[in-house]
Structures are given as C-alpha cells and as structure tokens.
Amino acid sequence: MKQVPIWQKYILTIEEAAAYFRIGERKLRGLVAENETALFIIMNGNRPQIKRYLFEQYIDSATAI
C-alpha cells in the first residue's frame, strides 16, 4: 500500500496534525475538547480527527492558540 504524504491527506490524526502544524498533541487535544462542534473536527468512532483544510482556515483566522 502506498503511503499518502501528510500534506495531501484530507483528514489527519491528532498525532499527524500536531506534527504538520507544529502544535503539541496536548494543546491540540485541548482545542478539540474546547471546540467539540467545530467544523474542523470529525469523529472516527471515539477518536477525533482533524480536517486539514478547515483547520488551516481556523489557524489563519486565529490570533493565538
């Protein structure tokens, strides 16, 4: 199976998103917990995952995280 580069993935795990955006996993999990209804979060069972493009927009509009 061919690996898809992280910058081409539509949905990222918390670990992948932390590496891609250079945000700590704990901080990212806190953002997910604080913004449970945010459009950039999708639940895969009980695991939150990050929609990369929508999270990029969220980061672009934020002044601090």
Side-chain angles (χ1 to χ4, degrees):
M1 180 179 217
K2 185 179 177 184
Q3 287 285 351
V4 177
I6 196 168
W7 59 87
Q8 291 181 346
K9 290 184 176 184
Y10 183 76
I11 296 175
L12 305 173
T13 64
I14 295 291
E15 295 80 13
E16 290 171 333
Y20 182 78
F21 292 105
R22 297 188 46 84
I23 298 172
E25 287 182 36
R26 183 178 292 171
K27 180 67 170 183
L28 196 51
R29 289 184 192 281
L31 285 172
V32 168
E34 292 172 4
N35 301 290
E36 291 178 348
T37 60
L39 296 177
F40 63 82
I41 300 169
I42 186 167
M43 295 301 290
N44 182 5
N46 64 347
R47 296 177 147 201
Q49 295 191 324
I50 306 297
K51 295 179 184 177
R52 185 182 51 81
Y53 179 71
L54 292 177
F55 192 66
E56 285 174 354
Q57 291 178 336
Y58 173 79
I59 293 293
D60 286 344
S61 66
T63 57
I65 54 171

